[in-house]
Every structure is written in C-alpha cells, then in structure tokens.
C-alpha cells in the first residue's frame, strides 16, 4: 500500500472507534511475558514450562503442574492405562531437561529398571515451523540414549500444526491452557508463581486461542479502518529491526575502526533504515567521483559498505550505487583489477551493484536467533564478524597493491606491484 495516509485516519481509529476502544479494553491487560517481548519466542515458553513442571523448583505447586502437563500430553496420545498409572504415581523424582540435544523439553521418570523408565519428549512450536528432519533426529537421539525405556513424543503447537513424523502426537495449546488453568485454581502455589501462571495462560488465550467476541470486533475494525491498520502494521516493532538499530550505533563503528587500526582507514556511519546499515570509508571521500551518486543516501557517496539485516539474513557487502556510469565503472574496474571482485563476476549493472558479499547469519541461524531473542552476546558476535570481514576487505580495496598518498592536494601512486589498470581506474575515479 502507499505510505501516504492522513493523520485523521489514525486519529479516528484510536480516538473515535468504539469497536477499537472495546477491543483495547479486552486486550490491554498487563502481561510480564509481553512486557519482556518474549511471548513469541519458543525458548522462553520452554524455559517457563520447564520451571513450572519441575516439582523441585520453589514455585510451591509441588507436582500439580507436572501432572497437569503430563495428563494433557497423554490424553492426546490416548494412553488411558498410563494416564491412570501416572495419576497415582509419585512424580517427585521426575527429571526435567531443557535443550538436551536441542530438544525443547524432555521429561524422564525413572522406573525400577531401565526398561520401566518413561521418557516424554516435547517439541514446542509457537510461531515457527518444523525444520526438515528435525523430529526424526530428536527421536533417534532419545532412542540411542535410553534404548530400553518407553518413549513418547509430542508436538505441541500454537497453530494446530501437524508433525511430519507420525510417531509424534499432535497437542494443541487449548488443552494445555485448560489443564494449567485448572491446576492454578487449586489455591496451591506461591502467590507470585500463581500470578505468573495466570498471566501466562491469559497470554496464550489472547494470542493463540480463538475468542469469538474479539474475532468479531477485529473484523469490524478492519472493515472500517483498513488503511490505518495496514499503515501501522507495516511499522510494527520487529526483532530484526531492533538488531539493525543496535548494529547502526557507535559501538559497531568503534569495533570496526579498532579492527582497521594500522591500515590507514577509518569508517563513519553514512545512512541507515530498518533493514540496511551503511558505512563510509572516510579516506575514500578524497575521490572526486565518490560524491557523484544520485537518489541513494543523503551523502551521495557512490561506494559504501552495506549491512543488510532482516528476518532471514545478516549480510555484509560493498555496494556501488546509482550514478554516472563512467564513475561507477571506474570504481568497479579498480576493485576488480585490485582482486576484490572475482574475474568471472558479472559485469556492472546499470543501477545498484552489490559486490563482495558475505553471509554473516543464514536463514536457519536467524530463525533460531529470532525464536530465542537477541542477547548482548549475539549482537557482539555479529558486530565482530562484520568487523573481521571489512577489516580484511577494505585495506585490499584501498591497497589493491597500491598505496595512495596525498601531498598538497596532488595524488601520488606508490605500488607493491605493477597494477597499472587498477592505478588508472582509481585515478579516473579521482577526477
């Protein structure tokens, strides 16, 4: 949709719509999970559930939530005999494992012999999808570790997804929510723990379980205020955007300049947005053709370092922007002749040209990071890898076996090798 929208459309939605006001009253309930921005992250759900169902934890529920959780799973698996057995069993010795060989939750109830051990494996999916071969790998790891035990595999999802492997029993959030709410109604447990459990089940209901009144209100609001809602939806907070904001800060510049120390180069921020962070090499501003770009960044620099950050990637590259083709070709030829661009690379395109690209985080890696949430250590690693890439690349681009020195405004080229083509191209770029 067009980004052009009248303020009145948003004002009418927020201030005058009775439907929006009623929906807000129903949904605007304080929730610590949403306040901490962890409601969409599978690893946070798993952490909370693991703590809740471990009878040894100081939540005061004893094994009530453990029983509720297991009964939810086994009811879906249609195991009435085992269900009754567990209802009468002592669960104080149950072992709750988190991220054992990347499995979200694994519960082991030891028996009198290894053959009587019970292993409950739970893969939790909130808003992500099952990865190829994931469930088969998990099942194989469990059987290899506990070959004599009885194994039960459960696929717990918020969206009613079905497991690709038939040995995994599909379990929906609705049954889990109902069981946990019943457990929380027993007036047992520490007050803070009961409050947290209540907030958790309410959050699950708001986010993932159907409420007919809320559904009808949402449909009416969309019918009346589509433009305003689409405008706001396009600008909703995004974990990848948060990462981009962190990468576009002084710390990234500091780390990169520290890595470039001794090369005679330094970088500054050029321009950035929700997806792209762009940096410029200060020394390259001496090239007359550097400021010849059109319709790109406000600085009009034609050659920039560009970091792309989205839900599916973190990539670092060099970009030759839009501008006069002769200027763009001068930089492209200098980079290619200097060895930065491979000989068999595609020729320069008429518009933007991305050259020398490196993947910092793949789609799979980003999916995992978005699920668990970006922490300081994750951001630091990404900054470091970006800095390592550019600290190796930028001196090569500048040197290209040639050092440029400026004395009294006159360019002098002193080379490590007879790279006349690179020297000529760069002199052309100087104007």
């Amino acid at each position: 949709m067009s980004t052009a929208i009248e303020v009145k459309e948003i004002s009418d939605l927020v201030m005058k719509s009775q439907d929006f006001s009623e929906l807000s009253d129903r949904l605007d309930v304080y929730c610590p999970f949403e306040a901490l921005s962890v409601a969409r992250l599978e690893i946070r759900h798993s952490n909370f559930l693991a703590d809740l169902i471990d009878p040894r934890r100081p939540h005061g529920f004893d094994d009530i939530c453990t029983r509720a959780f297991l009964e939810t799973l086994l009811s879906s698996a249609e195991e009435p005999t085992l269900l009754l057995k567990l209802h009468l069993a002592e669960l104080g010795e149950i072992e709750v494992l988190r991220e054992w060989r990347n499995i979200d939750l694994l519960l082991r109830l030891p028996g009198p012999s290894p053959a009587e051990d019970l292993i409950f494996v739970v893969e939790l999916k909130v808003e992500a999808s099952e990865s190829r071969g994931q469930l088969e790998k998990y099942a194989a790891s469990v059987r290899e570790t506990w070959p004599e035990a009885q194994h039960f595999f459960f696929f717990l999802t918020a969206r009613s997804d079905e497991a690709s492997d038939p040995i995994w029993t599909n379990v929906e959030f609705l049954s889990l929510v109902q069981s946990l709410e019943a457990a929380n109604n027993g007036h047992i447990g520490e007050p803070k723990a009961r409050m947290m459990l209540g907030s958790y089940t309410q959050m699950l209901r708001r986010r993932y379980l159907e409420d007919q009144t809320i559904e009808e209100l949402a449909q009416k609001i969309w019918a009346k205020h589509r433009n305003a809602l689409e405008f706001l939806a396009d600008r909703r907070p995004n974990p990848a955007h948060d990462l981009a904001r962190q990468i576009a800060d002084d710390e990234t510049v500091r780390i990169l300049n520290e890595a470039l120390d001794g090369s005679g180069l330094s970088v500054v921020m050029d321009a950035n947005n929700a997806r792209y962070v762009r940096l410029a090499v200060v020394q390259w501003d001496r090239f007359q053709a550097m400021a010849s770009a059109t319709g790109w960044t406000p600085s009009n620099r034609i050659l920039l370092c560009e970091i792309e950050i989205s839900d599916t990637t973190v990539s670092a590259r060099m970009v030759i922007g839009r501008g006069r083709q002769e200027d763009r070709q001068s930089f492209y030829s200098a980079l290619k002749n200097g060895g930065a661009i491979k000989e068999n690379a595609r020729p320069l395109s008429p518009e933007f040209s991305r050259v020398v690209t490196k993947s910092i985080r793949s789609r799979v890696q980003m999916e995992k990071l978005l699920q668990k949430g970006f922490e300081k250590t994750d951001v630091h690693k990404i900054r470091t890898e970006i800095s390592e890439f550019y600290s190796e690349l930028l001196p090569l681009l500048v040197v290209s076996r040639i050092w440029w020195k400026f004395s009294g405004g006159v360019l002098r080229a002193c080379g490590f090798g007879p790279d006349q083509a690179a020297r000529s191209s760069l002199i052309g770029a100087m104007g």
Side-chain angles (χ1 to χ4, degrees):
M1 63 169 285
S2 170
T3 57
I5 185 171
E6 294 186 10
V7 174
K8 184 178 183 300
E9 293 183 68
I10 297 178
S11 175
D12 287 347
L13 167 65
V14 176
M15 301 177 64
K16 296 183 179 181
S17 171
Q18 292 298 319
D19 295 327
F20 185 79
S21 178
E22 184 178 348
L23 183 64
S24 297
D25 289 342
R26 286 179 172 270
L27 297 180
D28 286 350
V29 179
Y30 180 77
C31 174
F33 299 94
E34 290 169 334
L36 294 171
S37 300
V38 300
R40 299 177 59 192
L41 307 177
E42 288 174 8
I43 193 168
R44 306 307 186 203
H45 285 263
S46 300
N47 286 342
F48 179 72
L49 288 172
D51 191 86
L52 183 71
I53 63 180
D54 188 341
R56 299 181 184 86
R57 298 295 297 157
H59 43 56
F61 287 116
D62 195 32
D63 64 359
I64 291 176
C65 292
T66 318
R67 293 182 186 280
F69 188 72
L70 288 175
E71 288 174 6
T72 298
L73 302 181
L74 292 172
S75 295
S76 299
E78 298 182 357
E79 291 279 353
T81 302
L82 182 57
L83 189 61
L84 178 59
K85 179 181 176 180
L86 284 178
H87 184 74
L88 300 174
E90 170 59 50
L91 300 181
E93 296 302 314
I94 197 166
E95 184 180 8
V96 180
L97 302 179
R98 274 287 296 116
E99 288 296 318
W100 180 83
R101 297 191 182 178
N102 296 321
I103 293 172
D104 288 330
L105 286 170
L106 188 148
L107 287 75
R108 174 178 172 266
L109 183 60
S113 68
E116 296 176 90
D117 284 359
L118 300 177
I119 308 294
F120 304 96
V121 183
V122 181
E123 178 60 19
L124 176 67
K125 293 297 180 188
V126 179
E127 297 187 17
S129 301
E130 174 192 344
S131 301
R132 180 178 297 180
Q134 180 182 26
L135 300 183
E136 291 85 348
K137 182 180 71 174
Y138 292 167
S141 294
V142 170
R143 286 168 172 158
E144 179 185 0
T145 305
W146 296 282
E148 299 180 59
Q150 298 178 61
H151 313 111
F152 301 89
F153 302 93
F154 300 95
F155 194 62
L156 178 61
T157 69
R159 302 183 301 186
S160 302
D161 294 341
E162 293 191 358
S164 60
D165 189 335
I167 71 167
W168 291 73
T169 299
N170 301 308
V171 184
E172 296 185 8
F173 269 25
L174 176 59
S175 55
L176 174 63
V177 169
Q178 291 172 337
S179 296
L180 293 178
E181 285 176 339
N184 205 21
N185 286 336
H187 305 291
I188 296 176
E190 291 294 327
K192 289 181 181 179
R194 294 185 61 227
M195 181 275 292
M196 287 293 289
L197 178 53
S199 296
Y200 181 70
T201 54
Q202 289 174 27
M203 179 269 293
L204 292 181
R205 283 193 175 278
R206 285 196 304 274
R207 282 181 167 267
Y208 304 114
L209 304 182
E210 185 173 345
D211 182 313
Q212 190 59 38
T213 302
I214 289 177
E215 290 295 322
E216 291 173 359
L217 286 171
Q219 293 300 320
K220 290 170 67 176
I221 292 169
W222 270 100
K224 294 180 182 178
H225 304 281
R226 177 170 293 275
N227 284 347
L229 289 171
E230 289 180 345
F231 179 86
L232 294 172
D234 287 342
R235 288 153 180 80
R236 67 178 179 265
N238 182 300
H241 295 171
D242 293 339
L243 174 62
R245 282 192 289 272
Q246 293 186 67
I247 297 301
D249 67 6
D250 294 340
E251 181 65 10
T252 299
V253 174
R254 185 193 68 78
I255 291 174
L256 179 50
N257 281 330
E258 190 175 89
L260 287 168
D261 186 40
S263 69
L265 302 177
S266 59
V267 300
V268 294
M269 281 292 169
D270 183 88
N272 58 75
N273 55 34
R275 187 182 180 109
Y276 297 105
V277 177
R278 299 185 177 100
L279 303 106
V281 178
V282 175
Q283 288 73 18
W284 292 355
D285 286 344
R286 295 167 174 172
F287 291 89
Q288 182 178 343
M290 178 58 74
S292 64
T294 56
W296 192 14
T297 68
S299 70
N300 292 326
R301 291 183 174 106
I302 203 167
L303 179 63
L304 290 172
C305 308
E306 181 180 85
I307 305 161
E308 180 182 2
I309 302 170
S310 71
D311 291 342
T312 58
T313 187
V314 175
S315 300
R317 61 177 70 95
M318 300 300 300
V319 180
I320 300 175
R322 185 188 293 117
R324 291 181 302 180
Q325 193 64 10
E326 59 186 288
D327 294 333
R328 300 177 73 249
Q329 188 63 52
S330 293
F331 283 103
Y332 182 83
S333 298
L335 302 179
K336 188 172 183 180
N337 292 330
I341 300 176
K342 295 179 180 179
E343 285 297 324
N344 59 353
R346 285 182 288 182
L348 185 69
S349 67
E351 292 285 322
F352 293 97
S353 290
R354 295 174 170 180
V355 296
V356 205
T357 298
K358 178 179 176 60
S359 173
I360 304 297
R361 290 293 181 273
S362 67
R363 177 187 292 270
V364 173
Q365 290 172 321
M366 284 299 290
E367 182 177 282
K368 290 181 178 178
L369 283 172
L370 291 172
Q371 286 175 10
K372 80 178 184 65
F374 289 101
E375 299 178 355
K376 288 184 178 180
T377 53
D378 299 313
V379 178
H380 179 72
K381 288 178 182 178
I382 291 172
R383 284 192 181 114
T384 301
E385 291 178 37
I386 289 171
S387 298
E388 289 172 351
F389 168 67
Y390 283 123
S391 66
E392 294 179 5
L393 177 64
L394 299 184
L396 174 64
L397 299 182
V398 173
V399 175
S400 295
R401 296 180 295 281
I402 300 171
W403 288 102
W404 297 296
K405 296 183 180 179
F406 288 83
S407 177
V410 179
L411 171 71
R412 293 181 292 156
C414 309
F416 290 123
D419 199 340
Q420 185 61 41
R423 183 182 294 111
S424 299
S425 297
L426 289 164
I427 290 174
M430 288 289 293

